[in-house]
Amino acid sequence: MTGIRQSWLDIPANSHFSLRNIPFGIISTRSNPRHRPAIAIGNYALDLLEFSRSGGFEKSGFTNISVFESSTLNAFAALGREAHRLVRSYIQAILTAGGQFPDILEQNNMLRELALLPLFSVQNHLPLEIGDYTDFYVGRNHAYNCGIIFRGPENALNLNYYHMPVGYHGRASSIVISGTPIKRPVGQILPDPTATVPVLEPSRRLDYELELAAFIATGNNMGERINVDDAEEHIFGYVLMNDWSARDVQAWEYIPLGPFTAKNFGTSISAWVVTPDALEPYKTRPLQRPAEAGVLLPYLQEKKQETVYDIKLQVEYQTAEGDKAVIANVSTQYLLFSFAQMIAHHTVTGANLRSGDLIASGTISGEDSHSYGSLLEKSQAGKVQFIIGQSTRTFLRDGDTVTFTGAADDSSGAGLVGFGEVTGSILKSDF
Amino acid sequence: MTGIRQSWLDIPANSHFSLRNIPFGIISTRSNPRHRPAIAIGNYALDLLEFSRSGGFEKSGFTNISVFESSTLNAFAALGREAHRLVRSYIQAILTAGGQFPDILEQNNMLRELALLPLFSVQNHLPLEIGDYTDFYVGRNHAYNCGIIFRGPENALNLNYYHMPVGYHGRASSIVISGTPIKRPVGQILPDPTATVPVLEPSRRLDYELELAAFIATGNNMGERINVDDAEEHIFGYVLMNDWSARDVQAWEYIPLGPFTAKNFGTSISAWVVTPDALEPYKTRPLQRPAEAGVLLPYLQEKKQETVYDIKLQVEYQTAEGDKAVIANVSTQYLLFSFAQMIAHHTVTGANLRSGDLIASGTISGEDSHSYGSLLEKSQAGKVQFIIGQSTRTFLRDGDTVTFTGAADDSSGAGLVGFGEVTGSILKSDF
């Protein structure tokens, strides 16, 4: 482990919030209900409002500290990546053992007391106020598996699929922070496969979707495009996402304009925004583009070869009966397009992105049933039950809890760059 | 015209902004660039910031006048319909000849001078900051005509079409105020009907869509539903909308998740928000539900029979060459579902609407080629040219201008309840 910087704080080796990470979030505490910015480090949150008010940034060269007075990270995100780099590397410096600024926090008992809060004592809130939310569909295995279920193997992937990151606009108002319960939605469904007239009932096929999502730092003007090689500079950071989906509602409603009420009832995200700089060491080549897919149009061709991350994602399922198991492990390497490509495509016709917009990858699935990012795939559209301890499932039942975790690790001993978790439990419908 | 209230202001008989209307907007002027609320009356805007600061509301019973300090109408909208009714009826009273409060404005030269601004001197801005934007597809003739073009006559209307207001989430960031030019989008299109590999080019099939849209006044909590009979109480008011569309991009991208870059580059709305109270006298029965469509599910059944408006819409086309003609006239009576039904369906799975959200009807078309709300229909997907003076067109050319107007009139002599216009010109692509 020689040459690797360590913190003077005791950071557990399996912590998602190593010195390499420094993710940003919004917290409150019982003693101070005000929503305020923070970073996560080991088992602590560093309260950036308190830290900046106490002069913590005085030696940093970062002068826009008024952004930490805000109840969201929008103002900080909008400063752009140079500002995020400056703040992150300065915070790394003050947290490093034998670092440049021991007087700021390490040797400052009073500020440590005030600003360094045990993670278990903080409540997280949505990190940014979200303008528009866009959901892509670039997990190729998921798209293929769903395509077979909805349209049969011949039409599983439409002709356009390998030429563009397919996506659609989602619902921003119902994006909630990890831990928020999700009420089983009531919607129009066909009561049986031969029916042609719908009923209004609680969804029988409630599902989750395992996704990675990016918050936009700086946008573009309407009528302009973001170049694919510049696009990463527009990203503030990433969160895990669970895009809850009612598959029976979706199957009935999605032709011809796409999913609508099947997905607009709730979408959960993890609390801590992990910066592109923290994830940069975990870039790799995408796995998923077959040779026969042909050549991309130039506006989607990136100069870099390593364009996607290798973040290890995990789905843990806890049943209402109390059984618990990890039912999927998959890497984000299975994304067909990078976030830079999603941004370039999103803006190609001149749509303007704004600071605080959220862009999600679509469900990430691997090659086999232990790597599927949705129950639609795992249960083969309800045909196959899977086992969790003493319980069996095809889709979500009331009282079940789904928890996604994700972290990148290069086994260097420098620690994990992780997201913590995004978790949610299903409440009974009130219908 | 006995018994009809008249204003002491000289309001032209063809004005959209009669004493019956009193629509709300956001204005600025050359002498005062601050964005501030106003209402439109005849050829004037009444500056509500100036009016309220000068004590104009003192006899009104309306005490929340701080909402008029805002640069958008969100705070006013969020007060709910009782507040809108109070303000609108009070403003009608102070503008009525022989009314209850002649001292407020009619006899108050100084306030008239300060607050009553000629419409030609004001600049309009987006009336509300828009959270989520949803576009429905409930113009039955348009859906049928487009369905034939995209999928053939057998599959023109999907099985779900008569059972629910079909809709999808749109892009909020690129909604602009009337008068904003629209740059021709560049996007992925198939270069000819037999091609299977796309090119990146300026759209060759740029189109408009004639729509009516509603701003939400008060929302609902996530996980709750809005009852169809209560839904109108959640509407602040209506605007005309032009949902610009690149048909070649749309045809290539829309399977399976719906239109995305084909529509996210720009959407124009009219400036003045017309309240449901102003439009109430123009309610009528919808025209479009055939008997064979069957019975609606109870959550979409309204107690009222008269659920849609009879607002006369008009499309005026001015070519880059300078020719000009009205190319469509159609009534909003051609909507298959009411806005109340759209809201009930939007929230059926528990999606939360928020104050400032915008909900659009989808394109409104009548029965024949002089009543189509899009060029896709008028040109039969580019197969038929239409004539405007010395010019011919199938889709929009650079330099063309499209202007929608709309007004309701019961021929009582009480004047029009109109929207003014939503207009936009096409700029050359910079590709």
Side-chain angles (χ1 to χ4, degrees):
Chain A
M1 315 235 287
T2 329
I4 290 174
R5 296 192 301 180
Q6 302 289 347
S7 179
W8 48 264
L9 259 176
D10 183 27
I11 300 175
N14 64 353
S15 171
H16 281 196
F17 308 129
S18 71
L19 194 58
R20 273 201 175 182
N21 194 347
I22 317 293
F24 294 84
I26 293 291
I27 63 162
S28 66
T29 47
R30 196 166 292 196
S31 58
N32 181 1
R34 176 172 171 166
H35 294 204
R36 54 200 194 272
I39 61 98
I41 179 74
N43 292 329
Y44 294 89
L46 177 66
D47 176 339
L48 293 178
L49 175 61
E50 201 61 66
F51 182 74
S52 62
R53 284 187 173 178
S54 304
F57 284 108
E58 272 168 17
K59 296 182 177 173
S60 69
F62 180 72
T63 53
N64 283 302
I65 57 168
S66 67
V67 297
F68 298 128
E69 300 280 331
S70 176
S71 62
T72 69
L73 291 167
N74 292 69
F76 178 56
L79 294 177
R81 284 196 53 188
E82 276 311 312
H84 312 155
R85 288 186 182 111
L86 179 59
V87 169
R88 176 169 166 269
S89 60
Y90 174 73
I91 290 174
Q92 286 177 319
I94 62 148
L95 289 168
T96 298
Q100 200 183 342
F101 309 111
D103 54 320
I104 296 288
L105 198 64
E106 184 181 2
Q107 298 164 3
N108 186 337
N109 289 349
M110 199 158 76
L111 188 51
R112 286 216 319 269
E113 190 81 11
L114 269 174
L116 210 52
L117 312 168
L119 268 184
F120 66 77
S121 74
V122 309
Q123 171 94 26
N124 282 103
H125 306 280
L126 276 187
L128 289 95
E129 190 185 335
I130 299 161
D132 280 291
Y133 156 49
T134 307
D135 197 16
F136 281 90
Y137 191 58
V138 309
R140 183 263 169 204
N141 292 337
H142 172 75
Y144 182 73
N145 294 337
C146 291
I148 289 177
I149 290 166
F150 282 123
R151 288 174 296 281
E154 294 77 33
N155 302 308
L157 295 180
N158 191 36
L159 260 185
N160 56 24
Y161 191 76
Y162 286 114
H163 293 285
M164 62 169 73
V166 169
Y168 68 106
H169 294 108
R171 181 84 197 162
S173 69
S174 54
I175 297 175
V176 294
I177 195 72
S178 176
T180 310
I182 299 293
K183 195 190 284 182
R184 179 179 300 275
V186 169
Q188 282 202 19
I189 63 175
L190 291 180
D192 64 74
T194 61
T196 56
V197 175
V199 294
L200 187 72
E201 278 189 12
S203 172
R204 306 170 186 184
R205 296 188 159 208
L206 186 57
D207 199 355
Y208 56 76
E209 293 198 326
L210 174 64
E211 308 198 20
L212 184 66
F215 276 107
I216 295 298
T218 51
N220 59 307
N221 293 323
M222 193 172 141
E224 295 178 0
R225 289 179 289 281
I226 295 179
N227 184 290
V228 70
D229 292 314
D230 303 332
E232 259 190 18
E233 281 298 299
H234 291 263
I235 294 175
F236 173 48
Y238 298 89
V239 289
L240 301 182
M241 173 182 279
N242 185 343
D243 192 29
W244 306 94
S245 299
R247 299 302 181 185
D248 36 12
V249 177
Q250 184 178 354
W252 167 240
E253 81 173 353
Y254 89 104
I255 294 174
L257 297 182
F260 177 48
T261 63
K263 286 168 177 279
N264 69 7
F265 59 89
T267 303
S268 305
I269 62 172
S270 58
W272 297 100
V273 182
V274 179
T275 65
D277 292 308
L279 287 167
E280 187 60 28
Y282 311 97
K283 279 266 187 72
T284 185
R285 289 175 185 234
L287 284 172
Q288 290 267 284
R289 196 165 178 82
E292 67 272 22
V295 177
L296 284 172
L297 285 167
Y299 81 100
L300 291 173
Q301 293 175 14
E302 294 184 77
K303 288 202 184 103
K304 289 184 213 164
Q305 300 290 318
E306 304 198 321
T307 58
V308 301
Y309 299 113
D310 179 18
I311 303 166
K312 310 294 192 199
L313 306 179
Q314 176 180 299
V315 179
E316 187 193 76
Y317 198 115
Q318 182 175 337
T319 66
E321 302 92 304
D323 292 303
K324 192 192 276 195
V326 172
I327 62 167
N329 287 286
V330 62
S331 166
T332 56
Q333 202 176 354
Y334 280 98
L335 293 174
L336 176 65
F337 290 97
S338 70
F339 279 90
Q341 289 172 314
M342 295 180 228
I343 288 172
H345 181 64
H346 201 317
T347 62
V348 69
T349 50
N352 52 322
L353 300 181
R354 295 181 292 192
S355 189
D357 286 347
L358 189 63
I359 290 179
S361 63
T363 308
I364 305 167
S365 289
E367 306 284 350
D368 59 43
S369 73
H370 198 80
S371 64
Y372 289 156
S374 73
L375 295 180
L376 184 70
E377 295 165 272
K378 191 159 186 80
S379 73
Q380 295 177 36
K383 289 201 281 288
V384 179
Q385 290 197 322
F386 58 94
I387 294 167
I388 300 153
Q390 307 297 311
S391 313
T392 57
R393 287 292 184 275
T394 50
F395 289 100
L396 289 161
R397 291 200 195 152
D398 296 342
D400 289 356
T401 300
V402 179
T403 304
F404 301 161
T405 51
D409 181 13
D410 60 6
S411 307
S412 68
L416 306 181
V417 174
F419 292 79
E421 65 178 27
V422 54
T423 187
S425 300
I426 304 304
L427 300 181
K428 190 174 175 310
S429 165
D430 58 5
F431 189 66
Chain B
M1 315 235 287
T2 329
I4 290 173
R5 294 193 301 179
Q6 301 289 346
S7 179
W8 47 264
L9 259 175
D10 183 26
I11 300 175
N14 64 353
S15 171
H16 282 194
F17 309 129
S18 70
L19 193 57
R20 274 201 174 182
N21 193 348
I22 317 293
F24 294 84
I26 294 291
I27 63 162
S28 67
T29 47
R30 196 167 292 196
S31 59
N32 181 3
R34 175 171 173 168
H35 293 203
R36 54 200 192 272
I39 60 97
I41 179 75
N43 292 328
Y44 294 89
L46 178 66
D47 176 339
L48 293 179
L49 174 61
E50 200 62 66
F51 182 74
S52 62
R53 283 186 174 179
S54 304
F57 283 108
E58 272 168 18
K59 296 182 179 175
S60 70
F62 180 72
T63 53
N64 284 302
I65 58 169
S66 67
V67 298
F68 298 128
E69 300 281 331
S70 176
S71 62
T72 69
L73 290 168
N74 292 68
F76 178 56
L79 294 178
R81 284 195 54 189
E82 275 311 311
H84 313 154
R85 287 187 183 110
L86 179 59
V87 169
R88 176 169 166 270
S89 60
Y90 175 73
I91 290 174
Q92 286 177 319
I94 63 148
L95 289 167
T96 298
Q100 200 182 343
F101 309 111
D103 53 320
I104 297 286
L105 198 64
E106 184 180 3
Q107 297 165 4
N108 185 337
N109 288 349
M110 200 159 77
L111 187 53
R112 285 215 319 269
E113 189 82 11
L114 270 173
L116 211 52
L117 312 167
L119 268 184
F120 66 77
S121 74
V122 310
Q123 171 94 28
N124 282 103
H125 307 279
L126 276 187
L128 288 95
E129 188 185 337
I130 299 161
D132 280 291
Y133 156 48
T134 307
D135 197 16
F136 281 90
Y137 191 58
V138 308
R140 183 262 170 206
N141 292 336
H142 172 75
Y144 182 72
N145 293 336
C146 291
I148 289 177
I149 290 166
F150 282 122
R151 288 174 294 281
E154 295 77 31
N155 303 307
L157 294 180
N158 191 36
L159 259 187
N160 57 24
Y161 190 76
Y162 286 114
H163 294 284
M164 62 168 74
V166 170
Y168 68 106
H169 294 108
R171 181 86 198 161
S173 69
S174 53
I175 297 175
V176 295
I177 194 73
S178 175
T180 309
I182 299 293
K183 195 189 283 182
R184 179 179 299 276
V186 169
Q188 282 202 19
I189 63 175
L190 290 180
D192 64 74
T194 61
T196 57
V197 174
V199 296
L200 187 72
E201 277 189 12
S203 172
R204 304 169 187 185
R205 296 188 158 207
L206 187 57
D207 200 354
Y208 56 77
E209 293 197 326
L210 174 64
E211 307 197 21
L212 185 66
F215 276 107
I216 296 298
T218 50
N220 59 307
N221 293 322
M222 192 173 143
E224 294 177 1
R225 290 179 288 282
I226 296 178
N227 184 291
V228 70
D229 291 315
D230 303 332
E232 259 191 18
E233 280 299 299
H234 291 263
I235 294 175
F236 173 48
Y238 298 88
V239 290
L240 301 182
M241 172 180 279
N242 184 342
D243 192 30
W244 306 95
S245 300
R247 299 301 182 186
D248 36 12
V249 176
Q250 183 178 355
W252 167 239
E253 80 173 355
Y254 89 103
I255 293 175
L257 297 182
F260 177 48
T261 63
K263 286 168 176 280
N264 69 7
F265 59 90
T267 303
S268 305
I269 61 172
S270 58
W272 297 100
V273 182
V274 179
T275 65
D277 292 308
L279 287 167
E280 188 60 27
Y282 311 98
K283 279 267 187 72
T284 184
R285 288 174 185 234
L287 284 172
Q288 288 267 285
R289 195 164 180 84
E292 67 271 22
V295 177
L296 283 172
L297 284 167
Y299 81 100
L300 291 172
Q301 292 176 16
E302 295 184 78
K303 289 202 185 104
K304 289 183 212 164
Q305 300 290 317
E306 305 199 320
T307 58
V308 302
Y309 299 113
D310 179 19
I311 304 165
K312 310 292 191 198
L313 306 178
Q314 175 180 298
V315 179
E316 187 194 77
Y317 199 115
Q318 181 174 337
T319 67
E321 302 93 304
D323 292 303
K324 193 192 276 196
V326 172
I327 62 167
N329 288 286
V330 62
S331 165
T332 55
Q333 201 176 356
Y334 280 99
L335 293 175
L336 177 64
F337 290 97
S338 69
F339 279 91
Q341 290 172 313
M342 294 181 228
I343 288 172
H345 182 63
H346 201 316
T347 62
V348 69
T349 51
N352 53 322
L353 300 181
R354 295 180 294 193
S355 188
D357 286 348
L358 189 63
I359 290 180
S361 63
T363 308
I364 304 165
S365 288
E367 306 284 349
D368 61 42
S369 73
H370 198 81
S371 64
Y372 289 156
S374 74
L375 295 180
L376 183 70
E377 295 165 271
K378 191 161 185 81
S379 72
Q380 296 177 35
K383 289 201 282 285
V384 178
Q385 290 197 324
F386 59 93
I387 293 167
I388 300 154
Q390 306 298 311
S391 313
T392 58
R393 287 292 185 275
T394 50
F395 288 100
L396 289 161
R397 291 201 196 152
D398 296 342
D400 289 356
T401 300
V402 179
T403 305
F404 301 161
T405 51
D409 181 15
D410 61 4
S411 306
S412 68
L416 306 181
V417 174
F419 292 81
E421 66 178 29
V422 54
T423 187
S425 300
I426 304 304
L427 301 181
K428 189 175 175 309
S429 165
D430 56 7
F431 190 66

